[in-house]
Amino acid sequence: MIHPDYDSPGSLKTFLEEKGMAMQKKFGQNFLINRQARVKLIDALDINSSSFVWEVGPGLGAMTEEILQRDAHVTVFEIDRGFAACVSNFFSDYEKQGKFALVPGDVLKTWKEEAEKKIPDRFFGNLPYNIAATIIADMIEAEVRFEKAVVTVQKEVAQRMCAKPGDKDYSSFSVLCAWAYDVKPLIDLGGGNFWPRPNVDSRAVIMTKKEVFPRCKSPEHFQKILRSLFSSRRKTVKNNLTAFYNDGNRAETILDAAGIDPQIRAEKLSLEQLLHLSDVSYSNIIEDHE
Ligand code: SAM
């Protein structure tokens, strides 16, 4: 089977029609039809023959081809059965050489099993909008990090990923990303770069693994407490934590034990303070259950 012209909506459309397939909005299917942009994204991934890449959502393989042309190894995660069958066919020669592998199904459910086999050094995805933030957060929470990741996400998600304390987009997700990676914007991709054209603008970001990755007792609890601390940005940490525990005294005790001013807002806290607060809070909850 020969793949369609990845830059031609006409060719993509005809290919799908001939196979009795259609683009599915619920899976955030928008193909990047700009070769220059594809090259730029994979250039930024900085790969060679010794690189191992995970790609989420290959679609019909436009990005996968770019990765394979650089002689890297790639494992793709694809939920759409039709697309999965197509890429497996297009790249069967690479599969025989051990350079290409397909994991069919929902990546949110399949990636952990793959991670038990091998954690690659690179992560790539023109990510489906509905799962982009979740997959990034899930992997950080599981402490699975890549040397480098390049992801294309909705512009607003990218803004949150790159935001610094004091920025209007600074959120719990910004802290989570900054815990694990240095995140920088790479390129903006307006709707016209995709087929079908999405209603939103996209931005690619490059994530470079942080050398210093301070651990905490429970990354899961850290994520939960971050969400609550940033749930009402104008509220103090004490007020947000009171809502989290449903108990003002407890919020005060924990903040006191963590050495944090209860009147401060979450965005003023450093990463180390937030991790420490999470640990104090987690120990308090565990003690409570003992
Ligand atoms: N890589 C192609 C490109 O850049 O042109 C397609 C990207 S498209 C934005 C997103 C892809 O992710 C689609 O192929 C879609 O079927 C796939 N996808 C959506 N949800 C998924 C999920 N939960 N698990 C795995 N793949 C998913």
Side-chain angles (χ1 to χ4, degrees):
M1 205 195 294
I2 298 170
H3 70 66
D5 177 347
Y6 291 134
D7 292 327
S8 159
S11 170
L12 290 162
K13 202 163 169 254
T14 309
F15 178 90
L16 293 174
E17 274 168 11
E18 280 173 7
K19 302 272 172 295
M21 291 160 58
M23 297 296 269
Q24 302 197 64
K25 220 175 171 181
K26 66 173 178 193
F27 291 146
Q29 293 176 345
N30 304 94
F31 292 148
L32 181 56
I33 54 170
N34 175 341
R35 168 99 214 277
Q36 270 184 328
R38 292 201 298 275
V39 169
K40 187 156 184 186
L41 293 175
I42 302 303
D43 276 350
L45 198 59
D46 187 23
I47 50 175
N48 55 41
S49 57
S50 57
S51 310
F52 283 80
V53 187
W54 272 2
E55 185 196 357
V56 169
L60 287 178
M63 304 302 310
T64 320
E65 179 174 70
E66 212 60 61
I67 294 168
L68 286 167
Q69 276 173 359
R70 291 160 202 238
D71 215 18
H73 301 72
V74 63
T75 295
V76 300
F77 298 80
E78 178 56 64
I79 199 167
D80 185 302
R81 284 187 196 177
F83 291 170
C86 289
V87 286
S88 166
N89 188 301
F90 297 155
F91 304 121
S92 57
D93 285 347
Y94 289 102
E95 193 165 9
K96 282 178 205 139
Q97 295 164 34
K99 292 241 153 185
F100 171 87
L102 163 75
V103 181
D106 180 353
V107 65
L108 295 175
K109 296 188 183 131
T110 56
W111 74 269
K112 279 197 177 155
E113 203 179 315
E114 281 308 298
E116 276 164 25
K117 294 180 206 156
K118 182 180 173 73
I119 296 175
D121 55 342
R122 296 288 188 272
F123 181 81
F124 180 80
N126 287 336
L127 294 174
Y129 298 123
N130 53 341
I131 64 152
T134 309
I135 185 77
I136 294 167
D138 281 3
M139 288 179 175
I140 296 176
E141 190 188 298
E143 300 189 31
V144 167
R145 297 189 305 148
F146 309 93
E147 292 301 322
K148 202 163 268 184
V150 173
V151 293
T152 306
V153 295
Q154 202 171 323
K155 194 169 169 185
E156 290 71 23
V157 175
Q159 281 165 336
R160 285 197 282 131
M161 292 177 74
C162 299
K164 301 275 176 289
D167 291 354
K168 75 172 175 23
D169 300 305
Y170 194 63
S171 68
S172 57
F173 190 45
S174 317
V175 179
L176 197 73
C177 290
W179 179 33
Y181 294 100
D182 283 316
V183 191
K184 295 207 168 71
L186 181 62
I187 41 170
D188 280 3
L189 294 162
N193 290 285
F194 298 90
W195 177 82
R197 191 191 175 108
N199 299 327
V200 296
D201 286 332
S202 298
R203 177 170 289 172
V205 300
I206 178 158
M207 306 162 74
T208 311
K209 190 177 184 176
K210 279 228 170 120
E211 278 180 27
V212 180
F213 183 51
R215 299 296 163 107
C216 63
K217 287 181 182 159
S218 164
E220 196 185 340
H221 186 69
F222 183 47
Q223 213 191 140
K224 277 190 199 146
I225 206 166
L226 279 180
R227 280 206 201 103
S228 87
L229 284 169
F230 284 86
S231 60
S232 231
R233 287 198 43 192
R234 276 204 287 265
K235 283 194 186 161
T236 61
V237 285
K238 184 187 162 200
N239 285 345
N240 277 329
L241 279 189
T242 298
F244 181 61
Y245 302 117
N246 204 11
D247 180 346
N249 287 336
R250 190 172 194 180
E252 218 160 288
T253 309
I254 287 170
L255 285 164
D256 188 47
I260 289 173
D261 174 359
Q263 297 311 320
I264 211 166
R265 289 193 192 137
E267 65 181 34
K268 296 282 177 211
L269 295 175
S270 68
L271 177 63
E272 286 69 24
Q273 283 175 305
L274 289 163
L275 286 163
H276 181 54
L277 174 58
S278 169
D279 282 353
V280 171
S281 165
Y282 185 69
S283 301
N284 183 283
I285 286 171
I286 297 290
E287 275 165 26
D288 220 39
H289 284 82
E290 278 171 359

